[in-house]
Amino acid sequence: MTASDTADTTALEKLGAELSARGFEARFVTPQDRPPWLAVRNPRAEVMAEDVMAQGGWFWWPWADRIGPACDVPAAAARVATVLRARSSHG
């Protein structure tokens, strides 16, 4: 594991803690032959779930869009929370 890999893993762990504090379920996934990722789910709307990766000092969605810099965990958590927020069906 390189220093960059360690930093990415630490960033994901911090993001998971921040999202958990905001009421989301965040599970750190560590497959044997792939980089780790964070599986995040809104427990109030189970279909609202997504994976988050970290690489090169950035958090990423699985479709390769940047979420935000790994050095700004609160801002990244806010963006993830916005995407996974359950919207009311009332106009």
Side-chain angles (χ1 to χ4, degrees):
M1 183 177 273
T2 68
S4 177
D5 293 339
T6 301
D8 293 340
T9 298
T10 300
L12 282 173
E13 290 170 342
K14 288 179 181 179
L15 181 61
E18 180 74 22
L19 288 165
S20 293
R22 293 174 185 234
F24 291 87
E25 294 177 0
R27 182 175 53 91
F28 192 66
V29 181
T30 55
Q32 186 173 7
D33 296 330
R34 295 180 50 203
W37 69 86
L38 198 61
V40 185
R41 187 173 74 85
N42 180 340
R44 293 170 299 284
E46 292 187 16
V47 297
M48 302 301 290
E50 197 53 77
D51 294 336
V52 175
M53 284 74 84
Q55 183 180 19
W58 291 88
F59 293 115
W60 298 85
W61 296 113
W63 53 89
D65 280 347
R66 285 182 179 173
I67 296 169
C71 63
D72 191 354
V73 171
R79 184 152 185 221
V80 172
T82 297
V83 169
L84 297 183
R85 182 178 318 136
R87 302 223 188 260
S88 172
S89 60
H90 302 116

